[in-house]
Amino acid sequence: MPDADSARATAREAIALLTAGAGFTEHRPPPSPLPPDGPLGWAGYDAARERASARTGEEESVVYGTGVVGDRACVLLSFEFGFLGGSLGRNTGDRLAAAYELALTRRLPLLALVATGGSRMQEGMVALTQLQRVAAASTRLRAAGLPQIAVVRDPTTGGGWATVGAGADVVLALPGAQVGFAGSRVRPPDADPYAYSAEGQFAAGQVDAVVPADELAATVTQWLRALGPHEDLPAAPVPRALPTAGAGTGSTAGAGTRSTAGVGTEAGAGTRSAAGTGSAAGGGAVAPLPGTGREAVARARDPRRPRAEAYLADYFAVRLPLHGDRSGATDPGLLCGLGLRADGQPVAYVAQCGTPTRPAGYRAAARTIRLADRLGVPVLTLVDTPGAANDAEAERAGAGAAIADTFAAIAAARVPVTTLVIGEGGSGGALALAAPDNTHVTVDSYFSVIAPELAAAILKRPPSETGATADQLRLRPQDLVDLGFALSIVG
């Protein structure tokens, strides 16, 4: 077993770090001898390969096979950086393609432990075109609904990063690893080294998590449980209501989902009429419905109201964040990822945190929804935003296109999507994350085509008429059920 802090573990040490006592069964592709000194006849290439083999004990720069991580079977491939810098040649491509095919045939997830300097220059274009083989193999695996996880070690650069690494569904990185398309000898001399580090790539939204080596096996195990493959998973349950701090509205224990007709949709659920009467199962009083539009808006904006973080913590036993939009940006006001509930059911989540959602947030949301859809994992969205970010920077970052892509991801999803509006439902920036036929609302929420203050301003009404405008917009939770937008009120 390697030292957990070792950044330059061998290929087999990296495998052992994850499989531990569960073992690993190596596979090899059929032999495919190269011509003397390789396809280019590069003088000394055969001798360099022999030295690399003697030094590492490996025949090539990749080892692959089947193994068990935690309690999950998978196909593992691991790069041996000591073999010519973990570079990709034709025989490396044979092994990579065979690893992806093995995962496809056995319907297993693929776990790649990457440490490479890129394509092998001694094989020229023959080496470079192996990237196309890897991309094609990855695409076939993706189309089959099988997940791919990459753990990027030190270093992961060049074409290996741009295919096996960055092309995975989930990218985890070891602390301090050099990660980037440009290797250390080919980047500009004045380049910021942080941009080429695991931590820099995480900050730029290109890596989902930086995981210490001694936590890697447990983290990967949870990801394998969440990603599957799965079959016929049920829809994500509607989260239970959480009380507003200091509001004195009673316990939520046993409270469930109520329609304005007063019929509970969960066993043990409380009932509520449109007038706001009723009680939660277990005897605790429930929060009353807002009497006016102004009150609904005020309650949704109350800083004591529970936010996405509280709902997610209550809903999931384990959360595995997906970080960033893969286009160089992040939005801290939108949380994405996959989680495991107490019964082990995986659910993907996209949660707004009460701030204007930025283009990076919408792109991350669309990425999460599409990943869940491809893997057959149900989706939960928590809506809470005054609206999409509307500053000049957001426009330059493609706000309109990002929102459109999120609408499209929801519309195209084949897996069930469940939405709970937990606060502000600010126009299209909120609607982009709402399931058209499975949206629920809390008593502390509203949803509106436009904020009442802005509506009054557009209509040239004085501020004193903002409340009346809010009433006209019919944005209260009970209005949303009456209008057919929401299925039920939770609370």
Side-chain angles (χ1 to χ4, degrees):
M1 178 72 67
D3 185 333
D5 294 325
S6 173
R8 284 285 176 90
T10 67
R12 295 179 190 275
E13 286 174 338
I15 291 171
L17 184 65
L18 289 170
T19 60
F24 168 73
T25 301
E26 184 176 359
H27 289 242
R28 288 183 173 86
S32 180
L34 293 169
D37 279 332
L40 305 185
W42 187 288
Y45 179 46
D46 284 349
R49 286 178 54 84
E50 289 172 4
R51 290 193 299 271
S53 182
R55 184 169 57 250
T56 64
E58 303 296 350
E59 299 172 354
E60 249 303 336
S61 59
V62 163
V63 175
Y64 77 98
T66 56
V68 177
V69 178
D71 57 357
R72 295 286 160 163
C74 61
V75 171
L76 298 100
L77 68 86
S78 186
F79 281 76
E80 175 53 68
F81 189 78
F83 193 102
L84 300 180
S87 57
L88 281 75
R90 193 196 72 184
N91 286 352
T92 321
D94 290 344
R95 290 176 174 235
L96 292 172
Y100 282 90
E101 185 63 27
L102 181 62
L104 184 62
T105 301
R106 300 201 179 183
R107 291 203 58 77
L108 292 173
L110 181 90
L111 175 58
L113 312 176
V114 191
T116 174
S119 299
R120 191 171 298 168
M121 64 179 179
Q122 294 94 331
E123 293 190 25
M125 286 302 299
V126 172
L128 189 63
T129 56
Q130 301 311 306
L131 305 182
Q132 294 172 320
R133 292 182 70 189
V134 173
S138 175
T139 298
R140 288 191 292 272
L141 207 59
R142 197 179 303 273
L146 296 168
Q148 302 171 49
I149 301 173
V151 176
V152 292
R153 299 147 55 206
D154 183 51
T156 298
T157 61
W161 164 238
T163 52
V164 184
D169 299 317
V170 176
V171 181
L172 309 176
L174 290 177
Q178 180 188 169
V179 181
F181 186 65
S184 59
R185 297 183 182 180
V186 298
R187 66 184 66 142
D190 58 348
D192 177 9
Y194 181 73
Y196 304 87
S197 68
E199 292 74 12
Q201 296 286 5
F202 175 79
Q206 308 290 359
V207 163
D208 293 304
V210 178
V211 183
D214 58 1
E215 299 175 14
L216 194 59
T219 300
V220 170
T221 298
Q222 298 287 28
W223 270 115
L224 290 170
R225 290 172 180 165
L227 294 171
H230 305 291
E231 292 184 6
D232 301 323
L233 292 175
V238 180
R240 64 178 180 173
L242 300 179
T244 296
T249 56
S251 170
T252 62
T257 305
R258 279 75 49 83
S259 71
T260 53
V263 181
T265 60
E266 292 182 9
T271 62
R272 181 187 295 281
S273 70
T277 60
S279 62
V286 299
L289 289 167
T292 66
R294 182 190 292 273
E295 182 188 350
V297 173
R299 285 170 62 172
R301 294 175 180 173
D302 188 335
R304 298 172 300 169
R305 172 182 58 76
R307 307 285 165 149
E309 184 63 42
Y311 276 95
L312 294 174
D314 184 69
Y315 193 81
F316 288 112
V318 175
R319 271 189 289 159
L320 302 161
L322 290 168
H323 181 73
D325 67 351
R326 294 298 188 266
S327 296
T330 63
D331 179 1
L334 189 130
L335 305 176
C336 294
L338 276 78
L340 296 169
R341 290 178 49 77
D343 62 0
Q345 179 185 350
V347 174
Y349 64 87
V350 176
Q352 292 171 314
C353 298
T355 57
T357 303
R358 305 203 64 79
Y362 290 112
R363 285 191 289 265
R367 172 197 168 206
T368 302
I369 294 163
R370 289 194 173 105
L371 173 62
D373 188 50
R374 180 161 51 79
L375 298 179
V377 177
V379 177
L380 170 70
T381 65
L382 300 180
V383 171
D384 183 13
T385 180
N390 59 5
D391 54 89
E393 181 183 349
E395 290 296 336
R396 284 193 291 267
I403 295 168
D405 195 40
T406 307
F407 271 116
I410 291 277
R414 297 159 297 179
V415 296
V417 180
T418 302
T419 296
L420 180 63
V421 185
I422 63 173
E424 294 195 77
S427 194
L431 189 67
L433 289 177
D437 56 356
N438 193 21
T439 290
H440 307 261
V441 293
T442 68
V443 295
D444 296 324
S445 68
Y446 79 87
F447 219 116
S448 180
V449 65
I450 188 172
E453 299 89 348
L454 298 178
I458 290 172
L459 295 171
K460 299 182 179 179
R461 295 175 176 177
S464 61
E465 294 188 24
T466 298
T469 303
D471 290 336
Q472 282 186 291
L473 288 168
R474 298 196 64 191
L475 47 72
R476 302 173 303 167
Q478 59 267 45
D479 297 325
L480 300 172
V481 174
D482 289 342
L483 292 169
F485 170 72
L487 292 182
S488 68
I489 301 171
V490 176

